[in-house]
Amino acid sequence: MNRKIGAILVLLSLASLLTAFTICIDPGHQEKANLSQEQIAPGSSETKAKVSTGTRGVNTGIPEYVFNLELSFILRDRLQEEGFDVVMTRERHDVDVSNIERAELANSAAADLCIRVHANYSSDPSLKGMMLLIPSPTATYTAPIYEESRRASEKIMASLQQIEGITSLGIRVREDMTGFNWSKVPVLIFEAGFMSNPEEDALLASQDYREALVEAIVSGVVDYFLSRR
């Protein structure tokens, strides 16, 4: 067998392997917030808004919910090209899907990984950088999904950090995320950058930058699932 044919067979084998995995993409927020309350975790007395407002580009004026869905569509298409089965928690802006319901959609799909897509805001306009948020290893509801959530995030972060000029704020653990606490599948939040920072706001509006982010995420996701073989 020559090298070219061998390489093709390897690629076909990898593509076949990836079709066994389901990824849920959750484009954060929606056109209209739902500020009625829901439990932050099963049985918890603490509550949070079902869906918060989200932010908006300081210069571009792009609403976060629009950015989140547009980036998610690019991510969906690329993951499908790699062979993954992909489910979305929303594909329109005019929906009303709470954070609990988003987690339950991923659970119902038996997703192997849920990627929640967001952008960030700070009152300090100089603050910029992407980050990944993951569930806690010690919280009652998220301890079972922590290890795989961490492993996936480390692969994705390593890939994202290869983008020239990108600012990384690392991987951060959160215990107060409704979408984490109700999840039964590995999950992470990709905070793509600060829309309150003029420079990063412009980057996030750029198609080239969006595609670079997606390519890095997809590369990290593929690395993660191939490492599970």
Side-chain angles (χ1 to χ4, degrees):
M1 181 185 303
N2 65 42
R3 290 183 180 179
K4 186 174 182 179
I5 294 175
I8 291 172
L9 290 176
V10 168
L11 290 174
L12 289 173
S13 175
L14 294 180
S16 176
L17 173 68
L18 296 177
T19 61
F21 297 111
T22 297
I23 297 177
C24 178
I25 302 175
D26 175 29
H29 305 286
Q30 57 197 27
E31 187 172 10
K32 294 181 180 178
N34 183 343
L35 301 182
S36 59
Q37 301 289 294
E38 63 183 3
Q39 292 172 299
I40 193 172
S44 174
S45 60
E46 184 178 354
T47 63
K48 291 176 72 173
K50 289 185 174 181
V51 189
S52 60
T53 305
T55 188
R56 179 180 294 266
V58 63
N59 284 342
T60 64
I62 297 172
E64 183 193 351
Y65 70 85
V66 171
F67 166 78
N68 294 341
L69 186 58
E70 290 177 349
L71 192 73
S72 293
F73 279 144
I74 302 172
L75 179 59
R76 176 200 63 188
D77 293 348
R78 281 293 294 114
L79 287 169
Q80 288 177 335
E81 287 174 7
E82 294 295 328
F84 291 101
D85 181 31
V86 180
V87 297
M88 303 269 288
T89 62
R90 70 176 178 99
E91 295 185 315
R92 309 190 321 273
H93 300 313
D94 58 336
V95 298
D96 188 10
V97 189
S98 78
N99 282 307
I100 290 178
E101 290 170 334
R102 291 166 190 250
E104 289 178 338
L105 282 167
N107 295 341
S108 296
D112 297 283
L113 179 65
C114 180
I115 301 174
R116 310 184 70 199
V117 177
H118 284 261
N120 229 327
Y121 167 84
S122 173
S123 58
D124 177 1
S126 68
L127 185 59
K128 65 178 182 176
M130 62 82 188
M131 69 178 79
L132 295 175
L133 308 180
I134 59 173
S136 167
T138 57
T140 302
Y141 303 105
T142 57
I145 60 172
Y146 167 76
E147 287 295 339
E148 292 304 319
S149 300
R150 163 69 73 175
R151 287 184 61 221
S153 295
E154 287 174 347
K155 294 289 188 182
I156 293 170
M157 179 58 72
S159 185
L160 284 165
Q161 288 174 333
Q162 300 304 307
I163 298 175
E164 184 176 355
I166 199 168
T167 301
S168 170
L169 299 178
I171 300 172
R172 304 185 179 191
V173 172
R174 294 283 294 270
E175 295 186 0
D176 60 336
M177 310 301 291
T178 306
F180 286 174
N181 292 334
W182 289 85
S183 183
K184 299 183 187 303
V185 302
V187 59
L188 59 93
I189 295 177
F190 173 55
E191 292 279 4
F194 284 81
M195 299 184 92
S196 50
N197 177 281
E199 177 187 354
E200 209 153 51
D201 180 33
L203 274 177
L204 295 175
S206 160
Q207 186 68 15
D208 287 346
Y209 190 68
R210 291 180 179 189
E211 290 177 359
L213 291 175
V214 165
E215 287 303 318
I217 293 170
V218 171
S219 177
V221 169
V222 170
D223 285 349
Y224 165 65
F225 283 107
L226 292 182
S227 72
R228 290 176 47 173
R229 287 189 299 170

